[in-house]
Structures are given as structure tokens and as C-alpha cells.
Amino acid sequence: MSKAATADHASDDNYLTNTKGIMSWIVTLDHKRIGLMYLIGVMVSFAIGGTLALILRAHLYNPQGSFLSNDAYNQVFTLHGAVMIFLFIIPSIPAALGNFLVPVMLGAKDVAFPRLNLSSFYLWCAGAVFFLFALCTTGLDTGWTFYTPYSTTTSTSVIAATTGVFILGFSSIFTGLNFIVTVNTMRPPGMTWFKMPLFLWAIYSTAVIQVLATPVLGITLLLLICERLMHIGIFDPAFNGDPVAFQHFFWFYSHPAVYIMILPAFGVISELMSVHSHKSIFGYRFIALSSIAIALLSFLVWGHHMFTSGMSEITTIIFSALTFTVSVPSAIKVFNWLATMYKGSISLTTPMCYALAFMFLFTIGGLTGLFLGTLTTDLHLHDTYFVVSHFHYVMMGGTLVAFLGGLFHWWPKMTGKMFNETWGRISAAIVFIGFNLTFLPQFVLGSRGMPRRYASYDPEFTGLHRMSTVGAFTLGFGLLVALIVLLHSLYRGKKAPRNPWGGATLEWRCSSPPPYYNFERPPVVGNPYYFGDLEYDAKSDDYVFTEPDREVVPQKLEPAPQHVDSKKDA
Amino acid sequence: MQTLQNLSFVLADVSDGFWFPKTASNFGTEVDFMYKAILWISVAFFVPMMIYMGWAAFKFSKPKGTKAEGKATHNTALELAWSVGPCFLLIWMFYRGSVGYLDMREPPSDAREVQVTAQKWSWLFDYGSGIMNPELHVVKDQPTKLVMRSKDVLHAMYIPAFRVKRDIVPGRYNILWFTPTIATDSLTDEEMQWKSDDPAEAGNILNQGKYFDFFCAEYCGKDHSNMQGKVVVHETQDDYDLWLESANRRPDDQTPEQYGEFLYTTRGCKGCHSADGTAGQCPTFLNSFGAEHEMTDGSKVAVDENYIRESILNPKAKVVKGYPPVMPSFQGQFNDDQIDSVIAYIKSLKK
Ligand code: HEM
Ligand SMILES: [Cu+2]
């Protein structure tokens, strides 16, 4: 088959159009379609969580609170946190972007277990429905942490919510398991571990944590349900249980979980910094190995959420020491990304703008972690707005901004459409300004003694709270602009070329959007960060690989049967 | 415009302690020092990094299609240097933080002990010999040790001016100690944390002088944000003794009803029982005196002095139908005069 024919064929029959009708989506086994459905799911969740956040901020405009009762405030902040954590941020990059990209980056046709993949999506939906159930019935007011004995005694729907989280946990495990097997067994010949794109390293390390840590959450929540229903006496002191034990259980999952949230973001940023600097990533091995180091160390630091809870002195000090060790691999990554820019050929595209915003925000998030790892200062700052701000800098300034950067970066590949660059950059700028305006004042609030989860506050905190509220609405507006830019591109966007940014990883070698089977022929695996043979072609606004395809002569494949299959799938 | 005003608010504050409330305990200096040290270390990393990033983004910004000039893919020496270098600073932070922490965990043996009870959503401090009060009173330069317990869920004692915090876990005693270094009377108006002119709040304060805030820092349900109180630091032991004497008595200028209302708001009754008929987790006090209530065992009980007294001291003995048996016992926390005052107050709630 000639080259031109391949291209034509791909362009009029891609994964979005190869089969039609709602059923072809509902029962699809195509990782790309599942990724897209996840994407819609997490974006809807984010919109819900974000609206709740704006309600909170609007309420906190006045020291006595504005319009919510205390009970309502507690329910709203719980739902905000729980929706953002369990429905948005954990599945965001791995399940939405990861599902789409992992097989394509491997040059493979799909993940190892497509059916498991689909069931993971439906489990996610089921878990989400349970959350909405909790929302529409009595409302949950425990905070996303479900601390006992409050959670074993409150009259709100803890059981529905934990069941939801339990199901979501399985969804997360399925996704993780799938990626581990996919990366282990389906790497193409020539792609050794150290030739994998860093995004895959990040997803792989994340998957390891998902599979190892999530079951502990499942067990914890089951025990919590048992405690509520049968008073088995493990967490509730009224029945001789120990509330601190619950915290150990809970954070044993939830601390690794924060790395489930951030590691994929590291992977995205590694790709973005390198591709948009058109220069090899600096320190590949250090970045790859630090992902693994973080995945392992993340299991050893859960106690730093409990420095004030009454652990023994020696335990506390050990956890403080371990906490400092995790900061090292994160710092290594940031330094390497900065070095990647040096003497590059930087294009300040929308994804790059988001990546630079990430660098700024994540660094602040990481550095403020040092205040919390140091015991003396933590005793003052724990459970104040300082902590709220810290985790928003890492989770929102980090993961969310990286997710947006990645979304803009791979959007042309996923949808086949280019978006408006000018407005994309404007959205990044508004998000950046709004974010800092929202959360910088919260550091000051925290060190001045403003406790978190307060529905009203002392008058001396008013000014800073108001700045924060104004910032939150700015931020919300910026995110709306980003959404409009993306949606607009679907209707008005130019057709995307194969490789609009000049990336060297395999996904840029298939057409945009990719055909059902991703690749007509197994692509040639090279160095994912070698940009020497990519030439910009102004006419098609595309980057093309200049080297002739190194076909191994006797290995001409017959692509024909595959297409027959793809039609049958509907 | 609003934002501008907010900004000037922040800037105006820079001069007198931008980051912290005034330090008022033996731990303050160390905590503030560590905070500022880490802050400056962070700034020393962050600012050059961001200047470099901005510079690079500008300097190496090239038209589409330009090839990168640099070819470097790694530099092991450099990478090891920036991996290992910062570790020394981290070790220092860890070490100094841990040493400071150990100091904060070891109360001196001569520390004055105060028993603290936290419950949804109030605090009670037991000063010994039956003296209880919702305010924390301590003496300047005297090490004070709080032995804290919770009657229901997790709470946490947080005194920002002292830079201390400790969770209060039901089923355990958790200990917190500090030595106050500033008497609250000596605070200037600006240094005062509390600037509320909300009369309802002010009415609840026994000591109308100056004080530091303390907060509940561990989320504990509906009125978590109201679970605050005042720390009064007396200049001398004599001032303290004087206060102690007056603390547990009905002030001469208050009627039993007024004093009963004060106890009702400060001792935690208000968290559950409304005085205006609002239905809640527990029966309202409005019109309750003299009414007849049906109990969980089906019997009918008239609300009289004896029933109220029993409910305060032994609440699980008779539980009103339709309500969970959640009320804690107040045995030992009220003296007879106080119980009488509460009864007088409940009697007065008629509409
Ligand atoms: C529009 C942007 C956002 C705003 C204005 C915002 C604001 C808030 C506020 C006001 C709280 C309650 C603070 C308290 O009293 O404890 C909160 C808590 C929280 N937020 Fe956000 N938030 C935003 C985005 C996010 C995102 C993107 C995430 C996660 C990916 C997130 C995760 C959390 C978590 C985990 C909590 C703690 C919930 C808890 O304490 O149970 N937020 N946020
Ligand atoms: Cu509390």
C-alpha cells in the first residue's frame, strides 16, 4: 500500500467515525473512546466541584458568612473536596489522558485488557452516581477524610458515600492493573524501559501505587461501614475503638493517593517541556527513576498528616525525616525541566504556557511543604488555611494545570481540531493570575491562625478572605475561557495536522485523530526525545519526520484484515 | 476597587508582623525563627529559578521550525550536585524542627495543670477544687500543662499566639504545654487579636479585658467554627487567684436567670438545645418547664426541677422519645447554685 493511500484512508475513517450510533460508544472497547468518555466524565465532575468551591468562596466573603447555614457549609465543603478528589483529580490524567495515550505511545493497538478498561469506566460512573445520591439525600458532612468518630456518629449518608468511594477505588485499581500489564507486555521491540516516553514512566509508577494502596482504602471504608452498622469497636472510642487507628488506615492510602494525583502530572510536564522546547528532555534517567522513588517513598510518609494527633515522639520524628526524603525527587524533576529549556527553541504555545504556570505554582506548593514537614512550624500551621493553600498549590496549581496543559497539547490528536492559540494563552494567563490571587492570601491567613473548615471567621481575617474570593471568581472565569476555546475548536477549529507541535513520541506518527487501530503499520521506535529529524513544513503547518521510514524489507504487513474487523466491532 | 482596598490592608500590616499574631509563649521565638528561615531559603531557591525561567522563555523563544541550539541531554555531575546539595538544608530543617518539637513535648515537672474538656461545641477548663470555666486563665511565666479529653468526637486545641496545637482524641488524654510570656492586659489594642464588636459574642465573655484567641482546629461538625474561646494571661499569681475566686460564683449584679443563660451559652447546652423552639438534635427548652414529655420507655415525665437536675447529672436515665441518647453527663461540672440558675433560666423560657 502506498503512503498516500494510507494517509487518505486514515483521515476519513478515524476512531471517532469508524462506527456510528450511541451503542457504538456505550459498548466500545476502543481505549480512545473510553478515554474520551472519561474525559467528559471528569470535566463534568470538575464543573460540579468547581461550582461548589465558588459557593464556598462566595459565602466566605463576609466574616459571619453570607448565605449558608453552618450545616450547609459543611456539606458543601465536604462535597467539594470529595468530588474533586475521588471523581476529578484521581481519574483525570491517568484515566482520561492515559487511556487515550498509553497504547498510542507504545505503538500498540489497545490496552492489554480492553474489557476491564470499559468496566473500569462503568464502575466509575456507578461510584459517581452514589455520590450524587449522597448529595441529593441527606448530604454528607464529614469532610472527604471521613474521620471517626464523627463519621460513625453523624446522621448524614456516610454509608452511601463510602460505598461510592469503594466502587471508585475498584475503578482505579482496574485502570492501574491494565496499565501495568500493558506497559510490561506490550512495549514494541526496540522500546526498552529507558526508551519509554516519560509520560509512560509516570503512568506506570502511578499504576503501581493505585494497585498497592487502593485496596487499603477499600478495607478501611468497609471497616468504617461495619463500625457504623455493627459497632465492632475498632474506630469508635464509644465501643473501645481508636480513632487514631482510622487515621493511620486512611492516610496509608490517601498519602500515596496524593502521588496518584501528581505523578501523572509530572509525566505530562516532562512531555510538554521537551516538545515545546524542541529539545531533548534533560536528565531522562533522573526523571524516570525519581518517579519510581516517589512511588516507593510515598508509602512511608503517611504519618505527616497526624503530627498533632498524639503519636509517640519518636514516630513523629521518623515521619518528619521520611517526609523530607520525598521532597528530593520532586525537586530533581523541577531542576531538570528548567534545564530542558536552556538553549532550546521554545514555542510559547498554549500547552507551554500552562506548563510554565505549572512550574511556578508547583514549586510554591512543594516549597511550602517544607514548612509542614518541619515539626515545630507544622504544629502551628496544621489544619489552618496554610495547609488548604499548600494542597491547592500542588493539586490544583500542579495537577489541574498540568491536566489542562496536556489537554491542549493532545487535543489536536484527540479531536483532529486546532484551537485558537491566542485565546488559549489568554486563558492560561487568567487562570494563573486568578489562582495566585485565590491562594497566596490563604498562606498568610493560615500563619496568622485562621483554622480550616470554618463557616465563619474573626473579623481581622476579612481582607485576605475577600482577596481570595475575588481570585476564585477570576480563576473560574479563566477556566470558562479555556473550556470555550476547546469547545469552539470543535466547530470552528482548523483541521489538525499529524504533528502540530513537533513531538517525537509515537502518538505524533499516526494521523489526527488516530484511526481505529492507531497505526496502519507498527511504527518505528526511536528515541522519544530526539528532535533532529523533525522538519517544520509551513505549508501544512505540520512537523514531518524527514528520515524515510526505515522499513525492514521482508516485513511488509498486510493491514487489510484489520479494517474488516473494525467494521464488525459495531 | 475592592481588591485595591484589600491590597492596602495587607500592605498596612507588613510593618507590624505580617505573617503572625504577636508571639506570646516560650515557643514563639523558635517557631517564628524556623518559619522565617524556611521562608528565606525557599525564596532563595524560588526567585532565581523563576527569573531564570522567565529569562529562558524569553531568550530561547524562537520562530516555529527553528532547531534547538543546545544538544545536552544530561550532565551527571550537575544533576548529582542539585540532587545532593539541597539535602543539607533539608537535614538542617529536619534536625532543628525535631529538637524544637521534643522541647514542646516535655512539660516541666512543676507545670500547673489544667484539665480541659472539649465537646461539641464548647470548652471547659477545670482549675481544681470544683472551679470550672469556659475561659483559659493562666499566669505569665508559669509553665502550664493542659490535660485534655474529649466527650464526643475529635477536637483540637489551637492557640495561635502561643504557636501550639494538639488534637483531642476521645478515649485518651492528650497533653499540651506552654509558658505564656506576655500578660494579656499589657497588649495594645492593635496587638489584640479579637476585634469583634458583636454584642452577642461580647455578652458571653466573663472577663471583659484583653485576651488571646484559641480555636478548635479539628473539624467537629455543625458549630466547629464557633468553637473558640479566650486565653487570659494574668500578670501575677495574685491576679489569677483573684479571678479564680470570682470565677465560679454568680456575679452579684446578675439574677439567677441571667447567670443561667450565661451557663447555657458557655457550657455547651446551647450547641444542642435551642431556647427559641427551633427543633434540633435535642429537645428545645422553650416552654419545656412544666410540660409533659414521653420517654423512650413509653412513660410520661413532667419536666420539673428534679427532672432537669437529673438530666444534667445523669442524662441517660430518662431519654425523651424520638431523640438519640447523645447528651453527656455534666456531673462535677456544675455546683448546686449553678444548677439552680440553669433551672431558673429554663423556667423563664415561656412564650
Ligand atoms: C476554583 C478553584 C477552587 C477553589 C476556590 C477552592 C476552594 C476551597 C475551599 C474554600 C475549601 C474549604 C476550606 C476549608 O474550610 O477547609 C476547599 C477545600 C478543598 N479543596 Fe478546593 N478549591 C478549588 C479547587 C480545588 C481543586 C481543583 C481541588 C483538587 C483537585 C481541590 C481540593 C480540595 C480539597 C481536597 C479540599 C479539602 C476538603 C476537605 O477539607 O475535606 N480544590 N477548597
Ligand atoms: Cu471541635
Side-chain angles (χ1 to χ4, degrees), chain A residues 345-423:
Chain A
S345 161
I346 296 174
S347 313
L348 288 175
T349 55
T350 305
M352 187 64 174
C353 291
Y354 275 101
L356 295 179
F358 169 96
M359 299 286 284
F360 186 98
L361 302 175
F362 178 74
T363 308
I364 294 186
L367 287 170
T368 50
L370 302 177
F371 294 78
L372 303 171
T374 305
L375 290 174
T376 38
T377 42
D378 182 70
L379 294 195
H380 179 59
L381 299 172
H382 175 73
D383 269 340
T384 66
Y385 263 72
F386 192 95
V387 173
V388 174
S389 191
H390 159 74
F391 69 63
H392 280 88
Y393 263 90
V394 282
M395 296 204 299
M396 195 173 182
T399 309
L400 174 75
V401 169
F403 172 70
L404 289 175
L407 193 58
F408 277 103
H409 183 73
W410 283 295
W411 187 258
K413 184 58 62 186
M414 298 168 87
T415 64
K417 296 291 164 113
M418 295 304 289
F419 48 84
N420 183 313
E421 274 286 1
T422 315
W423 281 97

Side-chain angles (χ1 to χ4, degrees), chain A residues 61 64 70-71 74 77 141-143 147-150 153 237 242-244 247 277-284 286 307-313 316-317 320-321 324 327-328 332 334-336 338-339 341-348 356-357 359-360 363-364 367 370-371 374-384 386 437 443-444 446-456 458-461 463-464 466-467 470 500 531-536 541 543, chain B residues 2-3 6-7 9-10 13 17-21 30-31 34-36 38-39 41-43 45-46 49-50 52-53 55-58 60-76 78-80 82-83 86-87 90 93-94 96-102 104-105 120-121 152-154 156 158-161 163-167 169-172 174 193-198 213 215-228:
Chain A
Y61 191 75
Q64 294 306 315
N70 283 359
D71 268 332
N74 294 342
F77 90 68
D141 71 342
T142 60
Y147 269 16
T148 55
Y150 189 76
T153 50
D242 181 3
V244 178
Q247 297 176 23
S277 301
H278 301 283
K279 177 166 165 274
S280 168
I281 188 86
F282 189 85
Y284 177 95
F286 272 75
F307 284 156
T308 66
S309 74
M311 294 185 296
S312 75
E313 275 81 44
T316 309
I317 287 175
S320 167
F324 280 106
S327 60
V328 179
I332 292 179
V334 175
F335 292 142
N336 280 306
L338 287 178
M341 293 171 76
Y342 188 68
K343 290 197 173 165
S345 161
I346 296 174
S347 313
L348 288 175
L356 295 179
M359 299 286 284
F360 186 98
T363 308
I364 294 186
L367 287 170
L370 302 177
F371 294 78
T374 305
L375 290 174
T376 38
T377 42
D378 182 70
L379 294 195
H380 179 59
L381 299 172
H382 175 73
D383 269 340
T384 66
F386 192 95
L437 192 56
F443 284 124
V444 187
S447 64
R448 286 185 188 175
M450 169 77 213
R452 69 189 280 209
R453 298 181 173 181
Y454 265 34
S456 56
D458 287 0
E460 71 260 22
F461 299 123
L464 290 165
R466 290 194 168 168
M467 277 173 80
V470 172
F531 297 92
D533 54 3
L534 274 162
E535 289 300 338
Y536 179 62
D541 199 14
Y543 285 83
Chain B
Q2 188 60 56
T3 348
N6 293 337
L7 215 64
F9 168 89
V10 172
D13 257 24
F18 177 75
W19 295 106
F20 292 115
E30 172 66 17
V31 173
M34 274 316 277
Y35 187 96
K36 294 207 168 121
I38 301 173
L39 181 67
I41 291 173
S42 304
V43 168
F45 274 89
F46 183 71
M49 278 162 70
M50 289 307 124
Y52 161 79
M53 188 173 92
W55 170 80
F58 177 74
F60 301 121
S61 198
K62 298 275 157 65
K64 257 187 160 175
T66 317
K67 286 266 192 298
E69 196 187 317
K71 297 271 176 287
T73 58
H74 63 281
N75 180 333
T76 310
L78 182 64
E79 285 170 73
L80 281 177
W82 71 39
S83 309
C87 289
L90 297 180
M93 284 174 208
F94 159 70
R96 181 126 183 192
S98 300
V99 172
Y101 171 75
L102 286 177
M104 296 173 89
R105 296 307 314 147
K120 291 192 256 181
W121 291 275
D152 37 48
V153 298
L154 298 171
Y158 176 33
I159 313 175
R163 314 284 191 266
V164 291
K165 180 179 298 116
R166 187 78 170 159
D167 289 7
V169 182
R172 296 190 185 190
N174 274 13
Q193 280 292 290
W194 186 262
K195 302 178 192 91
S196 172
D197 42 21
D198 180 356
D213 287 320
F215 299 106
C216 173
E218 182 64 63
Y219 174 69
C220 58
K222 176 166 140 273
D223 284 337
H224 172 52
S225 25
N226 300 341
M227 205 173 147
Q228 319 181 353

